[in-house]
C-alpha cells in the first residue's frame, strides 16, 4: 500500500500554505481549486494521506463514502442546483498531478462529455 508522501495538499490541510477553504471536518477538507476549470471548481480531500484511489483499502470504506457525501454537501452549499460533475483523476493515465487523493467538484456551466 502506498501512502501519499508530502504534497501541496498536506500543507494546505496543516494550514502551512493558504487555500480558500469552504468546508472542514475531522476527516476531510474542501477548498477551491487554484486553476478552476469551471465557475465552481472545488477539491475535497481526505485528511488521511492516501495517494490515489488505487491505493484505497477496504479499511477506507467509510472514508470514501464520507468524501462523496461531503462532495454532495459542498456542491449544495455552492448552489449547484442544476447538477455538477464529480471526478477522481487516478494515476498517470487518469491525469492525476497531485499524489493525495482528491475529488473534483465541477459545476456552474454545461460540461461536455467525453473528457479528453
Ligand atoms: P489532479 O490533476 O491531480 O486531478 O488535480 C490537482 C488539482 O489541484 C488541479 O486542478 C490543480 O489546479 C490543483 N492545485 C494544484 N496545486 C494547488 C494549490 O496549491 N492550491 C489549490 N487550491 N489547488 C491546487
Amino acid at each position: 500500500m502506498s501512502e501519499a508522501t508530502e504534497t501541496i495538499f498536506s500543507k494546505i490541510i496543516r494550514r502551512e500554505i493558504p487555500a480558500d477553504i469552504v468546508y472542514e471536518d475531522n476527516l476531510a477538507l474542501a477548498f477551491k481549486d487554484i486553476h478552476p476549470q469551471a465557475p465552481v471548481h472545488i477539491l475535497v480531500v481526505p485528511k488521511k494521506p492516501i495517494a490515489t484511489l488505487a491505493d484505497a483499502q477496504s479499511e477506507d470504506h467509510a472514508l470514501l463514502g464520507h468524501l462523496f457525501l461531503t462532495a454532495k454537501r459542498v456542491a449544495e452549499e455552492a448552489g449547484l442546483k442544476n447538477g455538477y460533475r464529480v471526478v477522481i483523476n487516478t494515476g498517470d493515465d487518469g491525469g492525476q498531478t497531485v499524489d493525495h487523493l482528491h475529488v473534483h467538484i465541477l459545476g456552474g456551466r454545461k460540461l461536455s462529455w467525453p473528457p479528453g
Side-chain angles (χ1 to χ4, degrees):
M1 172 167 112
S2 143
E3 284 211 334
T5 49
E6 183 67 14
T7 66
I8 199 92
F9 293 171
S10 323
K11 292 188 169 71
I12 289 173
I13 291 166
R14 294 198 303 266
R15 306 293 206 279
E16 289 171 9
I17 62 166
D20 193 342
I21 293 169
V22 297
Y23 176 81
E24 180 172 25
D25 62 27
N26 60 329
L27 295 175
L29 188 74
F31 52 90
K32 294 184 182 176
D33 197 292
I34 203 165
H35 294 125
Q37 302 301 313
V40 174
H41 188 174
I42 296 169
L43 304 173
V44 180
V45 305
K47 289 186 173 175
K48 179 179 176 181
I50 301 168
T52 82
L53 182 61
D55 295 302
Q57 302 294 310
S58 53
E59 69 193 33
D60 300 315
H61 181 100
L63 176 60
L64 295 181
H66 182 74
L67 293 178
F68 277 101
L69 288 172
T70 300
K72 173 197 149 176
R73 175 187 179 142
V74 165
E76 281 171 3
E77 289 176 358
L80 298 177
K81 295 188 191 322
N82 207 36
Y84 51 90
R85 186 168 295 167
V86 170
V87 174
I88 303 178
N89 294 328
T90 304
D92 280 348
D93 279 3
Q96 185 173 1
T97 59
V98 178
D99 284 340
H100 184 126
L101 175 63
H102 49 282
V103 177
H104 295 258
I105 302 164
L106 295 146
R109 67 171 169 84
K110 186 81 174 170
L111 298 164
S112 60
W113 190 264

